[in-house]
């Protein structure tokens, strides 16, 4: 490879002066190409770890991993240099990219306990929107440090010698660097040997520990391959056929018949089924060592005594709402997917059977309602693929009431009532609220009604009181629905729960100060603490008689099957399989398994492994595979395409009226136009 290293004094003709200049330029080049990646990795780890001591301790204890991170950073620098052709400019670009990676990872860990993943790049406006809510001195200092580093490297343009590589050499350098990053990203056999020799231990089920142990650059690169879900080893037409045969046998032995809702208590009417997933809803009175001036959740606590209720095991903490929707609506489990993945962004790109498409088959109008913009988490397109007939996002709310930062929960309840009352067909509604989305460090509700007593710092006390006020509003919005439908002639069932525990301050501040957990490091949590930090209250209500059930713990992915059982509706194949698995392991996370006796495990007991493999194979078949299951059972449901008239009522007034069973000349009709 020929290097054209030119000293700054281009008029010099003296060979004796030129040789030292070239030698100095060569040394400067080597120092830059080696030194910048070294300093970049140290800076990245310092930004994310927040402590110079911890950073040095990690480097000393993991020297091989440190140099693997340096090697990847060098490859990025070399690739950018091959494209740009200027050392200083390519160095500043590389510094900016690596700095942004560290900043985003730091913010994500502080917010929701998850680092920065390759697929987070696909979030686009979602990440921009949430990032605008992140403030604080520590974040500002880190942003400033990255900007200073970028400027300093850029200023080296006037210090470093000019280095000109022939075009063919730059192409070769760029291709080599790109292949090296690719090899580690997809873990080619050679890269795998290097990683094994280096003692790399990839902890997919605990990504925070994975990044802490392996370093940000390496862990991020290793996660590239997790963007593609590998085919299970025993996935085949024959294995799926066996699952279908077992399900058909179970249906026959249980005496189930194809029917919708039992006609006895409902006089032949199909009930409205309303799911309300309340943003960050949780019961703050569960906090230890904390007392409230009055009960903030009177409706929830009453229903826990009177109706079917219990706790859901959420795959998320502090964020990732769409992953909870994915589990509930499809019956699939995040524990079968790479840690940190986002199905709405990565995997749902074709019709996927769900509760929405199932209820539509049963003669229901299936509708999604969300009090935020439809692009968020890609819901506009995903809801179509999940079989919803219509999706009412915030763009279609008419002069909505806001509270705090977002549309109020009360406004959402009013919209639910309006949609049910104006629709002739029974409705399946999946609702996602937004009012009490974090952060809570700003007392956005004004004077909070609920005062907190306990050994909390003033900051933690303010955060908890603000959150509790929002949780109370969610409780009252549920009561609004109950007050309306208790006198309705239409049988109606409401299923109310939260998506995840709220992020009450950075580093789990309120939870730690209240003694709810012992550490902000999730890898130090006991199984009981993992369970507590993922358990969400679930309550149900109906204006018709339903037996009360106590649900100690149930994964979100199993909720749909349980509700269908409560309604005496025959479950389609995938939800029937969910019921079988839930009977043995009602709680299923990637790092926690809860068995039928409520005992806690880190992995599925041996007796359940075969059934879990069936579940994994079916999930793969529906999301990524060849849809073998549809050829054996429930073909129409499992192979159903998206609704042809999806969301037409918000773009075509006549379609809206027809969907509601009304004539276009009906004077009372108030079609909603898109804003």
């Amino acid at each position: 490879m020929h290097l054209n290293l030119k000293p700054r004094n281009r008029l010099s003709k003296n060979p004796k002066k030129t040789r030292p200049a070239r030698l100095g330029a060569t040394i400067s080049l080597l120092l830059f190409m080696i030194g910048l990646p070294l300093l970049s990795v140290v800076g990245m780890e310092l930004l994310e770890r927040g402590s110079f001591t911890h950073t040095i301790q990690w480097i000393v204890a993991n020297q091989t991993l440190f140099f693997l991170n340096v090697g990847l950073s060098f490859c990025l620098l070399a690739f950018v240099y091959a494209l740009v052709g200027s050392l200083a400019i390519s160095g500043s670009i590389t510094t900016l990219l690596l700095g942004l990676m560290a900043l985003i990872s730091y913010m994500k860990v502080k917010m929701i306990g998850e680092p920065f993943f390759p697929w987070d790049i696909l979030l686009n406006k979602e990440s921009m929107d949430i990032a605008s809510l992140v403030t604080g001195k520590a974040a500002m200092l880190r942003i400033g440090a990255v900007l200073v580093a970028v400027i300093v490297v850029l200023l080296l343009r006037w210090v470093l010698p000019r280095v000109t590589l022939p075009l063919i050499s730059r192409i070769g350098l760029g291709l080599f660097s790109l292949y090296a990053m690719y090899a580690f990203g997809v873990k080619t056999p050679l890269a795998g040997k290097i990683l094994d020799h280096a003692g790399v231990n990839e902890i997919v089920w605990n990504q925070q520990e994975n990044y802490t142990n392996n370093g940000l650059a390496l862990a991020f690169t290793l996660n590239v391959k997790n963007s593609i879900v590998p085919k299970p080893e025993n996935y085949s037409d024959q294995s799926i056929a066996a699952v279908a045969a077992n399900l058909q046998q179970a249906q026959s032995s249980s005496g189930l018949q194809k029917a919708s809702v039992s006609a006895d208590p409902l006089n032949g009417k199909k009930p409205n089924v309303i799911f309300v997933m309340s943003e960050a809803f949780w019961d703050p009175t569960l906090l230890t060592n904390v007392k409230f001036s009055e009960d903030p959740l009177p409706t929830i606590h009453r229903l826990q005594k009177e109706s079917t209720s219990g706790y859901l095991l959420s795959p998320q903490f502090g964020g990732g709402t769409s992953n909870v929707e994915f589990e509930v609506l499809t019956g699939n489990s995040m524990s079968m997917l790479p840690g940190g993945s986002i199905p709405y962004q990565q995997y749902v790109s074709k019709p996927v059977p769900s509760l929405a498409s199932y209820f539509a088959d049963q003669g229901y109008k299936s509708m999604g309602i969300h009090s935020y913009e439809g692009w968020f988490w890609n819901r506009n397109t995903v809801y179509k693929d999940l079989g919803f007939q219509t999706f009412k996002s915030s763009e279609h709310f008419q002069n909505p009431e806001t509270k705090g930062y977002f549309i109020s929960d009360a406004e959402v309840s009013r919209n639910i009532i309006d949609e049910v009352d104006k629709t002739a067909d029974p409705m399946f509604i999946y609702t996602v609220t937004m009012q009490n989305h974090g952060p809570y460090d700003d007392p956005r509700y004004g004077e909070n009604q609920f005062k907190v007593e306990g050994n909390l710092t003033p900051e933690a006390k303010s955060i908890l009181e603000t959150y509790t006020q929002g949780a109370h509003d969610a409780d009252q919005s549920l009561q609004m629905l109950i007050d309306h439908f208790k006198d309705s002639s239409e049988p109606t069932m409401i299923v109310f729960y939260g998506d995840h525990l709220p992020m009450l301050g950075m580093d789990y501040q309120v939870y730690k100060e209240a003694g709810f957990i012992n550490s902000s490091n999730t890898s130090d949590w006991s199984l009981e603490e993992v369970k507590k930090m993922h358990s969400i209250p679930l309550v149900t209500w109906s204006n018709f008689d339903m037996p009360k059930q106590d649900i100690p713990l149930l994964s979100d992915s199993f909720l749909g099957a349980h509700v269908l059982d409560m309604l005496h509706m025959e479950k389609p194949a995938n939800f029937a399989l969910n019921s079988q698995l839930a009977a043995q392991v009602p709680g299923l996370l990637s790092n926690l398994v809860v068995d039928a006796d409520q005992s806690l495990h880190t992995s599925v007991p041996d007796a359940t492994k075969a059934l879990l493999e069936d579940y994994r194979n079916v999930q793969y078949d529906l999301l990524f595979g060849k849809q073998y299951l549809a050829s054996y059972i429930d073909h129409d449901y499992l192979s159903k395409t998206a609704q042809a008239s999806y969301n037409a009522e918000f773009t075509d007034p006549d379609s809206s009226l027809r969907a509601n069973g009304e004539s276009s000349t009906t004077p009372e009709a108030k079609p909603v136009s898109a804003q």
Side-chain angles (χ1 to χ4, degrees):
M1 184 180 293
H2 174 68
L3 290 177
N4 184 9
L5 302 172
K6 298 181 180 180
R8 288 293 173 185
N9 184 4
R10 285 180 281 180
L11 297 178
S12 175
K13 301 293 185 178
N14 191 334
K16 293 182 179 181
K17 293 182 179 181
T18 301
R19 290 192 194 98
R22 288 181 175 175
L23 178 61
T26 303
I27 294 173
S28 297
L29 170 66
L30 292 175
L31 288 175
F32 184 83
M33 295 298 290
I34 296 173
L36 185 62
L38 280 167
L39 293 175
S40 295
V41 173
V42 173
M44 291 170 68
E45 297 302 325
L46 179 58
L47 283 173
E48 189 171 34
R49 296 172 191 271
S51 166
F52 187 75
T53 301
H54 291 163
T55 302
I56 296 300
Q57 287 175 346
W58 174 76
I59 293 173
V60 172
N62 302 278
Q63 295 180 28
T64 305
L65 297 178
F66 170 70
F67 284 111
L68 279 176
N69 280 267
V70 172
L72 289 169
S73 299
F74 168 82
C75 289
L76 178 62
L77 173 60
F79 177 71
V80 175
Y81 172 69
L83 295 177
V84 175
S86 167
L87 276 179
I89 294 177
S90 59
S92 61
I93 292 173
T94 303
T95 301
L96 178 62
L97 292 175
L98 295 176
L100 286 175
M101 181 189 299
L103 282 172
I104 295 171
S105 192
Y106 163 78
M107 291 178 180
K108 277 196 66 187
V109 169
K110 291 298 182 184
M111 288 172 61
I112 60 175
E114 290 183 349
F116 181 49
F117 300 113
W119 43 87
D120 287 336
I121 297 170
L122 302 175
L123 295 182
N124 300 322
K125 292 186 289 185
E126 290 93 331
S127 57
M128 295 289 290
D129 183 83
I130 294 175
S132 67
L133 300 178
V134 179
T135 57
K137 182 179 178 180
M140 294 300 105
L141 287 174
R142 283 168 168 79
I143 293 172
V146 170
L147 293 177
V148 169
V150 171
I151 293 171
V152 168
V153 175
L154 187 60
L155 290 176
L156 292 177
R157 186 179 185 185
W158 285 271
V159 178
L160 292 170
R162 285 195 313 142
V163 179
T164 303
L165 283 179
L167 180 60
I168 187 66
S169 297
R170 282 173 54 185
I171 293 174
L173 179 64
L175 291 176
F176 171 79
S177 302
L178 184 62
Y179 175 76
M181 291 186 289
Y182 164 82
F184 282 94
V186 302
K187 200 174 182 179
T188 61
L190 177 59
K193 290 181 180 179
I194 294 173
L195 293 170
D196 291 340
H197 183 72
V200 174
N201 181 23
E202 189 179 5
I203 311 171
V204 177
W205 58 92
N206 189 335
Q207 288 288 353
Q208 188 173 352
E209 185 175 351
N210 190 35
Y211 278 59
T212 299
N213 291 353
N214 294 318
L216 177 56
L218 179 58
F220 180 89
T221 304
L222 292 176
N223 266 313
V224 169
K225 67 182 180 301
N226 293 331
S227 299
I228 301 174
V229 179
K231 183 176 72 173
E233 292 183 3
N234 60 346
Y235 171 72
S236 65
D237 191 355
Q238 292 75 19
S239 65
I240 296 297
V243 174
N246 290 337
L247 291 173
Q248 289 170 328
Q249 182 179 2
Q251 286 182 348
S252 300
S253 62
S254 64
L256 291 175
Q257 298 178 355
K258 289 186 180 284
S260 56
V261 180
S262 173
D264 291 339
L266 303 177
N267 296 319
K269 290 185 177 181
K270 296 178 179 179
N272 300 307
V273 180
I274 302 170
F275 280 64
V276 179
M277 190 171 76
S278 183
E279 171 60 40
F281 183 82
W282 181 66
D283 186 350
T285 66
L286 295 175
L287 286 172
T288 49
N289 306 323
V290 170
K291 293 183 179 180
F292 294 85
S293 56
E294 57 182 296
D295 185 1
L297 307 179
T299 304
I300 296 297
H301 292 155
R302 186 186 75 249
L303 292 177
Q304 287 175 335
K305 298 176 182 177
E306 299 175 355
S307 304
T308 292
S309 62
Y311 288 88
L312 294 177
L313 193 63
S314 171
Q316 302 298 131
F317 171 85
T321 298
S322 68
N323 287 353
V324 182
E325 290 176 48
F326 171 77
E327 286 208 344
V328 175
L329 285 168
T330 67
N332 295 320
S333 174
M334 293 299 302
S335 66
M336 302 290 109
L337 299 172
S341 58
I342 304 169
Y344 276 21
Q345 295 285 351
Q346 297 170 254
Y347 311 132
V348 183
S349 57
K350 62 180 179 62
V352 175
S354 75
L355 289 176
S357 57
Y358 173 74
F359 275 96
D361 283 346
Q362 304 300 312
Y364 281 70
K365 178 182 178 181
S366 58
M367 183 178 200
I369 296 179
H370 180 37
S371 50
Y372 199 60
E373 298 176 47
W375 56 260
F376 204 73
W377 294 126
N378 205 26
R379 286 186 180 94
N380 274 334
T381 55
V382 168
Y383 275 21
K384 180 178 181 179
D385 286 331
L386 293 182
F388 282 96
Q389 292 166 295
T390 188
F391 174 38
K392 187 174 188 178
S393 54
S394 64
E395 299 94 318
H396 308 303
F397 281 53
Q398 295 293 312
N399 301 315
E401 172 195 48
T402 60
K403 194 162 186 180
Y405 303 138
F406 307 106
I407 292 176
S408 71
D409 287 351
E411 182 68 25
V412 175
S413 290
R414 286 190 284 270
N415 273 265
I416 293 173
I417 291 169
D418 178 63
E419 293 297 335
V420 172
D421 286 353
K422 73 180 185 182
T423 303
D425 292 333
M427 294 196 74
F428 167 75
I429 299 180
Y430 195 90
T431 313
V432 182
T433 71
M434 193 67 178
Q435 177 190 318
N436 211 25
H437 193 290
Y440 312 101
D441 49 3
D442 175 34
R444 65 195 200 217
Y445 300 124
E447 182 66 23
N448 294 317
Q449 174 184 348
F450 303 91
K451 304 302 179 183
V452 174
E453 294 182 4
N455 188 24
L456 301 177
T457 60
E459 181 185 19
K461 183 175 183 292
S462 176
I463 289 172
L464 182 55
E465 288 180 349
T466 297
Y467 170 77
T468 302
Q469 183 65 55
H472 172 74
D473 291 346
D475 178 274
Q476 293 305 290
S477 72
L478 172 59
Q479 187 61 51
M480 181 189 299
L481 292 175
I482 293 172
D483 289 341
H484 175 80
F485 287 110
K486 69 181 180 182
D487 298 322
S488 172
S489 60
E490 295 186 50
T492 300
M493 177 186 186
I494 300 172
V495 183
F496 183 95
Y497 54 97
D499 49 353
H500 50 69
L501 270 72
M503 187 192 72
L504 300 178
M506 296 295 186
D507 279 334
Y508 309 95
Q509 179 182 4
V510 172
Y511 299 101
K512 285 193 301 181
E513 291 188 18
F516 196 69
I517 55 174
N518 294 316
S519 171
S520 60
N521 188 346
T522 58
S523 60
D524 293 335
W525 289 355
S526 66
L527 291 181
E528 185 61 37
E529 286 177 314
V530 172
K531 175 185 172 184
K532 289 197 301 182
M533 294 298 282
H534 288 268
S535 295
I536 313 295
L538 162 73
V539 294
T540 65
W541 176 89
S542 64
N543 58 4
F544 55 91
D545 290 336
M546 298 188 76
K548 183 182 186 306
Q549 300 177 36
D550 293 320
I551 305 173
L553 195 70
L554 188 69
S555 277
D556 284 313
S557 53
F558 302 146
L559 176 61
H562 192 85
V563 170
L564 294 180
D565 280 338
M566 292 175 67
L567 292 169
H568 304 292
M569 300 180 77
E570 182 182 0
K571 298 183 294 293
N574 55 329
F575 286 97
L577 182 60
N578 289 4
S579 287
Q580 292 183 6
L581 185 58
Q584 298 185 29
V585 284
L588 184 63
L589 298 179
S590 59
N591 59 344
L592 172 68
V593 176
V594 184
D595 65 22
D597 296 326
Q598 296 301 300
S599 298
L600 309 183
H601 310 268
T602 56
S603 60
V604 173
D606 291 341
T608 307
K609 286 183 177 179
L611 186 57
L612 183 70
E613 284 305 306
D614 288 345
Y615 182 58
R616 187 190 304 274
N617 285 337
V618 167
Q619 178 165 321
Y620 182 87
D621 185 61
L622 297 178
L623 290 176
F624 315 107
K626 298 184 177 181
Q627 283 73 54
Y628 292 132
L629 188 63
S631 62
Y632 296 104
I633 188 173
D634 290 337
H635 177 270
D636 291 342
Y637 162 72
L638 293 174
S639 61
K640 187 175 182 179
T641 58
Q643 296 282 347
S645 58
Y646 171 74
N647 245 16
E649 66 181 89
F650 293 122
T651 56
D652 180 356
D654 290 336
S655 295
S656 174
L657 297 173
R658 288 194 297 271
N660 293 328
E662 301 168 351
S663 167
S664 61
T665 59
T666 304
E668 293 82 3
K670 298 179 181 179
V672 180
S673 59
Q675 297 179 359

